[in-house]
Amino acid sequence: MISLYVGSTGGYTGKSLVSMGLGHKFKQDGFKVGYFKPVGILPIKVNTILTDTDAWRIYRALELKDPISEICPVVLTQELAVKSYRKDVKGLLAKVVKSHNFLSQDKDILLVGGYGSIYTGSFLGLQGIKVIKRLNAKVVIVVKYEGEYIVDYVLQAQKDLGERLLGVILNNVTPELRESVDEYALPFLKRKGVDILGILPHDSIVGSITVEEMNEMLGGKVLCSHDRMSNLVEHFLIGAMQVDKAMEYFRKTRNNAVIVGGDRADIQLSAIESGSVCLILTGELYPSEIIISRAEQKGIPILVVREDTYSIAKKLEKLSIRLRLRDTAKVARGMDLVIKHVNFPLLYEKLGMKT
Amino acid sequence: MLSNIFNPKSIAVIGASRTPGKVGYDILENIIQYGYEGSVYAINPNASEILGIKSYPSLLDVPGKIDLAVVVVPSKNVIEVIGQCGAKEIDSAIVITAGFRESGLEGAKLENELIKKAKESGVRFIGPNCLGVIDTHSKVNASFAAGMPAKGSIGFFSQSGALCLAILDRALPDEIGFSKFISMGNKSDISDTDIMLALAEDDNTRVILGYIEGVSDGRRFMEVASEVSRKKPLIILKSGITSSGAKAASSHTGALAGREAAFDAAFKQSGVIRAHTINELFNYALAFANQPLPRGPYVAIITNSGGPGILAADACDKSDLQLIPLHKEIVDELRTFLPPVASFYNPIDILGDSGADRYEKALNTVLKDERINGVIVLLTPTAVVDVDATAMAVAHIASLIDRPILTSFMGKKSVESGSKILMKYNVPNYSYPEEAVSTLHAMYRYKVWINRQEKTYPPLNKLKEKAVYIFDKVREERRERFTESEVHDVLNAYGFSQPKSLFARTSEEAVAAAKGIGYPVVMKIVSPHIVHKSDIGGVRTNLNSKKDVENAFFDITTHVRNIMPAAYIYGVIIQEMIRGGKEVIMGITKDPQFGHMVMFGLGGIYVEVLKDVSFRIVPLSQEDAHDLVRETKTFPLLRGVRGEAEADIEAIERALLQLSQLSIDFPQIFEADINPLLVMKRGEGAVAIDARFSIGGE
């Protein structure tokens, strides 16, 4: 049995996506796979059992059968956070080891999902590196590729993990940055003895968000097209210009949501007519009935939010860097991306697994 | 006040011109041709005589004393002329010349200099950039308007010269009489309030009419308007209302207020009769100038056709006017001469075959009912009716009684001469019944205003001390928003009841708090980053057990952490769950021109959609609070519908007065709202469930 820790050097790099993809491929190749998340930060109750939202999603995506109570033994609730800041909470690592050992039974490979980076978790006595060593796991590092400088973090991880580090997977590589990967990052890391296990290109569907998720974050009121809350938004646009310019701008951007003041009926209409997938009306200003009925006809949800356009844009900016894999279409596409772009022969070789 | 402007013994026109069609010519011509009896001087360095009047090269060359200077010189020379006025001891001027603030940066600078110069020279002036001034009683027409209105009792001032011309032109054919006509222009010295005060003191003026686009000092405007409206009806048409900008403010109160709300409240509180269209302005003016005020709301309608009668009755229904059935004896008397199929109840339909005599008899009979405070006579031009004779009959009766009679002789061609007769004998005639009703309603409202009791302000001035330190702390920390506990303490200091509440950081503490308070309880998230708690699922109500509280703690904190990872969660508040009561919302908002306003409306989650809210400008009197509560459309819900108990309306009024006092004590308050305030049954008070405060804009 092998434990494979999927970690990172920062938050929101795509660990869950990679775990899902790897697990799926392992299953396809006939291995008995499990998933384990030592520390969860998105509490959820599944039939009164406390677990982590991401762990629960991966568990379902991989159609696992282990008891839910074991897949995430430590969940960072408000309660636990307050308690651990006030006083050290004992016995958490033991709990992690116990669940890990339980899940390891009758598995070929157990994917272990990190939270945050491999350096976070110390305040609970559960720093990533400590957990990796205690579980005697191999490690894959997922890096969100934002430029050559990320090699620095990889080298540090290599130093801290030594032989355990099998290699890195570069995620979200945009076409603009592909050259920087090929010219600098790849040759450099090879020279330093770090294997590249995969390069996942940026994908706008995987990087999108459903209107529903978005609205949950914004706390808006949905005025119409309730059945189209699953519309995927890839881009956000601010409608603040004259109508003739706005039309042009909305048309050339795929799957856009337009953020606009609730009193700008002109912009709202042009967004609806030019095929936006969602309207976010700011300032708690309600649109006229004509706008609502037109949007309903065209299946475009209208959200009314309290804040101003700038604040909402800021919120959405933050939101887009911490997307969650929720939507099934997105999950399927994400897993495909991993299967297609990860160098599995190399990975199996490094894991010492034979297909 | 301003007597040299309206009743000068001598006038100089500086910049008088020899060329017909030029403003400097027209003004001089107007002064001469409408029979001004004082001395007139023309000032023009290039002429010796204009329109038969000797012309002087400069003001300083005029030998006699001058009361009023009318300035028509190019803008660059105006300041020099004003200096000369000072030297010649002329204290009043009308600056017709344009090319000041309205024309751009250079003009604005020039206007500032003009103001300075006038102050130094001791000259008060109207304008610049105005049409001029007309006084029909002193026969002064110092304007370039085409024509002179008939002598009358309506005083009119307007920010727009164009509107002056339009009103004047409309008045001429009907010979509607005016006392004064004042085109205000840029109002850089003499302001609306100065003119309002002058017209209030003017014996020739019975009704004051104004058109304004904005006021520079809202408080001063209210003060003067209240004083003036006590003496004479003050009817104002206000334009330039946009509230879209104000809507985006952060809290409920801010979202619902707007400039419109401020003006509306200011007009109501200072007794200004508001006209919404030029037509209304005119309609009201005619009635106020020519008919007595109704002493009460009871109205009778006499008509010769059903439809118009119903329209008028509908309009009354929407107003405060009431159509009461006539006394039995009166009805019996009507039966003696009206056909049996006539309608004897109010509206009284005397049928299409009525002639002037039937109108006369019916009107005389109806007026025998002393309870009727005013009558509206409607006439449809049937083939039978003699319009002129009917007009004469109605006008004759109207002149004998001291109750208002308004008419609506409908149509145009066949009622034209009748309408002229009515107007001639001071009975206002309107094209449509609704206009007559809305006019009579305005008169009744004004009667209520002048009869109202003096406003009373209950003493609430001892509350401030306990809250000062909180406001100081917020200011020192350079915050705009108050924390939960600060809001609690301020409301407490101002006598608001609030639910018992305890703070908890963990679910164990929450359970202990709930036990202390007693189930059921409410749980609310506490975070400095969360203003609208329920928007993001941060409120749970009706928690009945330990398990409920534990689950709620988990759900609330988890949800907030999920959707706002950056928000600092301080903990939760466990609050006593108040049952029953009706939700209302109240708050404080700040208008840039009028200052603080208190808002009231029916509460609940639909408040922002229904917008059934009303405003009053601070300070609120006991009477203001009383009216404010009753003004919302949903007030009957507080009274209780279908056998419900009446809500504690007195408690609401008290709360409004407390808020008013709070905003007086702490002018730095920018916005405050209590949403909801739960109002219990009569005598049981009201509880502030949730509230928000912010300061700023000091």
Side-chain angles (χ1 to χ4, degrees), chain B residues 196 210-215 218 221-222 225-226 229 234-239 241 259-276 449 455 594 615-617:
Chain B
M196 276 153 53
Y211 166 76
I212 60 173
E213 281 158 15
V215 298
F221 176 85
M222 284 181 74
S226 308
S229 67
L234 174 60
I235 306 168
I236 291 183
L237 173 64
K238 154 91 179 71
S239 74
I241 289 156
R259 295 287 187 75
E260 165 65 13
F263 270 100
D264 210 53
F267 282 13
K268 274 180 203 153
Q269 280 169 273
S270 47
V272 174
I273 300 148
R274 181 162 187 186
H276 292 90
W449 165 257
K455 291 189 174 185
F594 292 95
F615 295 84
R616 280 294 182 282
I617 288 163

Side-chain angles (χ1 to χ4, degrees), chain A residues 42-45 50 76-79 81-83 86 216-217 219 263 283-286 306 318 322, chain B residues 244 247-248 250 252 505-509 532 535 551 553-554 557-559 561-563 565 569 608-609:
Chain A
L42 292 172
I44 184 176
K45 278 186 178 161
L50 177 64
L76 187 59
T77 56
Q78 174 76 8
E79 193 93 37
V82 172
K83 281 183 179 161
R86 283 178 169 173
E216 222 170 77
M217 313 274 172
D263 51 357
E284 187 106 65
L285 299 169
Y286 287 80
R306 197 183 295 275
K318 275 191 197 155
R322 41 178 216 92
Chain B
S244 44
K247 279 182 189 164
S250 65
H252 294 276
R505 307 204 65 155
T506 63
S507 68
E508 284 153 29
E509 290 176 15
H532 294 277
D535 280 9
N551 285 339
F553 185 87
F554 175 82
T557 55
T558 303
H559 187 65
R561 282 170 71 102
N562 265 336
I563 66 169
I569 300 173
E608 277 155 62
V609 181

